[in-house]
Amino acid sequence: MDKYVMHLFKPNAPTAKILRMHKEIIEHEREMFNHWLSNLWEENLKNRRLNAIPFIENYIKSACNFSNGYIKSHYGGTYSSKMKIDYNIRDEVEVNKVEMLYCKRVQTGKNGTLINLPMVIDIGNLESKISFKDGVFTPPQKIPLVEDECCRTLSTTNDIDVNICLSSIKSIMNLEKPNSLWIIPVNVDIDTDERKTIYVGGALCTGHFSQQEKSWYYLRKELKKKFKKPSPIEAVQGDYNNYNYDKWMLKVSDVNGVDKSFNLLVRNKPHGIQQQIKPHDTPVVIIPKVEYQPEFGFEKVSEEQLVEYWLDTSFRCSKTKLALVSVQHHNMDLMQVKWTIEEVESLSSNGLDQIYLQRLYLTLEKLTQLGKGEYVLLHNPKKPFHVDVYQSSEYGGFNLLNMYFVLQQTEVSDSLVWNPIDWKILCPIHKYFKVAPCMFRPNPEELDIQMISEQVNKFNKDRKSKENYENEQLLRKKRIKTEKNKIKRKLKRENDILYNIKNNTMNIGNSLT
């Protein structure tokens, strides 16, 4: 075990050759460990994983009260249904490739900050632990995007088609995110030269959260407060232009034989600048990762989380780095900081980003068809791949605020799916106890390699037999289905022949009479 832990610390060390000989044994123990841990998770889920943390509940309640007041003051009128966007249907428009190309930084936020993140955390030293138990929600300075004079000026001078907040881009593209109830305000403006400009405001928080999402929301705000150090040049209080504005081009190839593009102005708020990593003065995004079973290791990143990380870094600017901060769920103690993850980069290189970019293109394409006026996009988690577009109406309709409150009270599932442990990440717990991730604690008795090899061979043989049996069952079902279809076609042919005979007989009888 010691050799294996050393190998994980230094994969290129000479011990690597020896460990390759025991590759099957290691993989067998990992599978057994995962099976054991998933069963343990199911047993302890209700008792251990979903306990509400009081200070987080109060924090979320304050945030919801602020959101309710903000939506009531700006979007409490009557609206009528205008359009439905179905992301499962492409309206028979084939899109070969969508690209989001970064053009330039149009304006940088004035409130520059320095982020001092602890690179090494000693879990054995209680004084080095950082707990988050003093969270107080502070209402942000927030105005509708269409009222941002700086955004309007930059939009005119940079030939922008769509002005959009980063939070809205993330909401529209990552529809797989569970329990995602959101409202996004949209304003369509047409100037004297008949040029249409669209303003897609920030996604409005609804508080439609499960327990684990509440922890994530709280930690994200708290981490920024804990590790931000104001720069000597302080921003003026009440200045709403404390944002980054970046120009992007959403380029679409081969839409019915025609290439299209939108000029986007993306507004985002910087988390801060990190000077400890290269290149210096690198913009950094702090994202928490809640760990539910750190005593065994850190969980793998789910697909929804991976997309969230990719959106949060890629669409600020191309140089933005990700600081992934692992925090223990039970007591909110900080456990580890990890700079960027390889999977985020692979999302674009493998072409998996196309489905998300196509959603953004489809949404903007629909919004450009709207006339001048005020609109809102409403996403109901009961219909995850649909978005309803409503238009502000003076002649009646339904009250959007009432609908918002009704949806807000919808029951949210708190069930947590078990995520496998990531065996590539050495956590503080592994360094402290000298235990490899995804493996049982070392047995003081000497291992019988021959017996373990026999167990591995038997395990692989049983797994192969199970796969063969399942394949045979599928083939059998396929054969039965094929035979049934043959019989149906035969009966149909016979019925058609019988029908023709009867029809001809009737015609002959009619002609004789």
Side-chain angles (χ1 to χ4, degrees):
M1 181 62 74
D2 288 344
K3 290 181 180 179
Y4 185 55
V5 173
M6 288 174 60
H7 166 66
L8 292 176
F9 271 114
K10 298 179 180 179
N12 298 324
T15 54
K17 293 182 180 179
I18 301 172
L19 290 167
R20 286 195 198 102
M21 298 170 59
H22 306 295
K23 182 181 177 182
E24 289 188 356
I25 295 174
I26 294 170
E27 289 179 352
H28 173 59
E29 182 163 343
R30 281 203 196 113
E31 290 194 33
M32 290 177 62
F33 179 85
N34 282 339
H35 181 69
W36 169 78
L37 190 56
S38 64
N39 290 335
L40 185 66
W41 172 273
E42 293 297 329
E43 291 175 10
N44 299 335
L45 181 62
K46 293 181 180 179
N47 300 325
R48 293 178 56 199
R49 307 302 177 187
L50 299 176
N51 296 327
I53 302 175
F55 59 87
I56 291 182
E57 290 290 336
N58 294 333
Y59 185 90
I60 296 297
K61 186 177 179 181
S62 300
C64 289
N65 289 337
F66 167 77
S67 297
N68 293 342
Y70 179 79
I71 293 174
K72 185 177 181 180
S73 60
H74 290 93
Y75 308 104
T78 54
Y79 290 80
S80 59
S81 179
K82 182 69 177 178
M83 182 190 300
K84 292 183 184 295
I85 303 176
D86 185 355
Y87 295 95
N88 294 313
I89 300 174
R90 301 300 177 198
D91 293 337
E92 299 180 356
V93 176
E94 292 189 4
V95 179
N96 284 352
K97 188 177 181 182
V98 186
E99 295 178 281
M100 191 74 162
L101 305 175
Y102 184 71
C103 300
K104 61 179 179 178
R105 169 63 52 86
V106 177
Q107 181 170 305
T108 303
K110 297 178 182 177
N111 188 16
T113 56
L114 303 174
I115 300 177
N116 299 316
L117 290 169
M119 302 302 294
V120 179
I121 299 162
D122 181 10
I123 64 169
N125 183 5
L126 295 176
E127 295 181 359
S128 68
K129 287 191 173 186
I130 303 173
S131 295
F132 306 94
K133 295 185 179 180
D134 301 321
V136 178
F137 178 78
T138 52
Q141 297 173 349
K142 196 168 187 178
I143 59 171
L145 180 65
V146 69
E147 297 179 16
D148 186 342
E149 293 299 330
C150 180
C151 179
R152 281 186 165 274
T153 304
L154 295 174
S155 176
T156 304
T157 55
N158 290 277
D159 194 29
I160 299 297
D161 301 308
V162 179
N163 302 273
I164 187 168
C165 294
L166 180 62
S167 61
S168 297
I169 291 180
K170 294 193 296 182
S171 298
I172 292 169
M173 294 173 74
N174 195 10
L175 295 173
E176 285 84 358
K177 192 174 180 181
N179 304 320
S180 57
L181 167 65
W182 42 256
I183 294 175
I184 296 178
V186 177
N187 294 80
V188 180
D189 192 17
I190 301 177
D191 60 17
T192 55
D193 298 328
E194 297 300 318
R195 177 176 174 78
K196 183 182 290 187
T197 308
I198 299 170
Y199 296 86
V200 184
L204 305 175
C205 169
T206 62
H208 193 265
F209 296 147
S210 61
Q211 288 293 343
Q212 58 267 33
E213 288 172 317
K214 290 177 182 178
S215 299
W216 188 89
Y217 183 85
Y218 161 78
L219 284 169
R220 178 151 186 165
K221 304 291 183 182
E222 279 297 291
L223 284 171
K224 287 191 286 185
K225 287 196 295 184
K226 291 282 184 182
F227 298 120
K228 268 191 175 184
K229 181 181 178 182
S231 66
I233 306 173
E234 290 285 350
V236 179
Q237 290 293 328
D239 183 6
Y240 291 109
N241 297 332
N242 185 25
Y243 295 95
N244 289 337
Y245 297 87
D246 298 300
K247 183 176 180 180
W248 293 76
M249 177 184 288
L250 183 65
K251 187 178 180 182
V252 188
S253 304
D254 296 329
V255 183
N256 293 335
V258 179
D259 292 349
K260 294 189 66 175
S261 65
F262 294 104
N263 287 332
L264 272 63
L265 186 68
V266 179
R267 189 180 85 168
N268 61 86
K269 205 160 190 175
H271 285 196
I273 303 296
Q274 174 60 262
Q275 293 184 326
Q276 295 176 358
I277 57 176
K278 296 180 180 179
H280 294 308
D281 298 336
T282 301
V284 173
V285 175
I286 304 177
I287 300 181
K289 183 174 181 290
V290 183
E291 299 295 347
Y292 295 95
Q293 44 194 355
E295 61 272 25
F296 302 112
F298 290 172
E299 298 173 4
K300 287 185 177 180
V301 177
S302 66
E303 186 175 346
E304 293 83 7
Q305 289 173 327
L306 182 62
V307 175
E308 188 77 17
Y309 302 159
W310 171 64
L311 292 172
D312 231 332
T313 52
S314 302
F315 296 97
R316 291 182 188 270
C317 77
S318 55
K319 297 179 181 179
T320 304
K321 296 292 182 182
L322 170 66
L324 195 61
V325 184
S326 295
V327 181
Q328 187 174 353
H329 170 260
H330 178 64
N331 55 16
M332 296 290 110
D333 281 338
L334 185 66
M335 301 200 70
Q336 192 181 62
V337 178
K338 183 182 179 185
W339 292 108
T340 195
I341 50 176
E342 295 76 11
E343 293 91 335
V344 174
E345 298 174 359
S346 67
L347 195 69
S348 299
S349 60
N350 294 335
L352 297 175
D353 59 341
Q354 284 299 298
I355 186 171
Y356 305 105
L357 289 170
Q358 285 183 17
R359 289 173 188 167
L360 180 61
Y361 161 71
L362 182 62
T363 305
L364 298 184
E365 177 70 17
K366 293 288 187 182
L367 294 182
T368 54
Q369 300 172 14
L370 299 173
K372 183 176 181 179
E374 297 179 5
Y375 304 85
V376 292
L377 306 180
L378 179 63
H379 181 253
N380 186 342
K382 292 183 177 180
K383 298 179 179 178
F385 297 103
H386 292 75
V387 168
D388 294 307
V389 183
Y390 298 98
Q391 183 176 16
S392 179
S393 173
E394 298 178 359
Y395 306 103
F398 70 93
N399 190 301
L400 186 70
L401 187 64
N402 291 340
M403 185 176 184
Y404 160 76
F405 282 130
V406 170
L407 289 173
Q408 194 179 41
Q409 300 303 318
T410 305
E411 185 177 351
V412 179
S413 173
D414 273 327
S415 61
L416 276 174
V417 178
W418 179 76
N419 286 325
I421 298 296
D422 193 339
W423 63 270
K424 296 181 181 179
I425 298 180
L426 276 172
C427 310
I429 194 77
H430 301 126
K431 298 175 184 178
Y432 186 76
F433 290 107
K434 295 182 180 180
V435 178
C438 288
M439 298 187 79
F440 295 104
R441 294 276 175 101
N443 193 327
E445 298 179 4
E446 189 174 342
L447 295 177
D448 187 343
I449 301 297
Q450 184 178 355
M451 184 181 72
I452 295 175
S453 298
E454 290 174 358
Q455 289 180 351
V456 172
N457 292 334
K458 184 179 181 301
F459 176 79
N460 291 333
K461 186 178 178 180
D462 292 343
R463 183 173 60 182
K464 186 66 178 176
S465 300
K466 185 179 178 182
E467 289 177 359
N468 292 337
Y469 175 76
E470 290 176 350
N471 290 334
E472 288 176 4
Q473 289 293 103
L474 289 173
L475 290 172
R476 182 173 172 273
K477 289 180 181 178
K478 190 174 181 181
R479 283 197 301 270
I480 293 172
K481 188 175 181 181
T482 304
E483 291 296 327
K484 285 183 178 179
N485 289 336
K486 281 184 181 179
I487 293 170
K488 285 182 181 179
R489 287 196 296 270
K490 184 179 178 181
L491 288 173
K492 186 178 180 182
R493 285 197 302 270
E494 290 175 354
N495 290 335
D496 290 343
I497 293 170
L498 183 61
Y499 174 78
N500 291 331
I501 292 172
K502 287 182 178 180
N503 194 30
N504 292 334
T505 304
M506 291 178 64
N507 291 335
I508 292 170
N510 292 334
S511 62
L512 290 175
T513 56

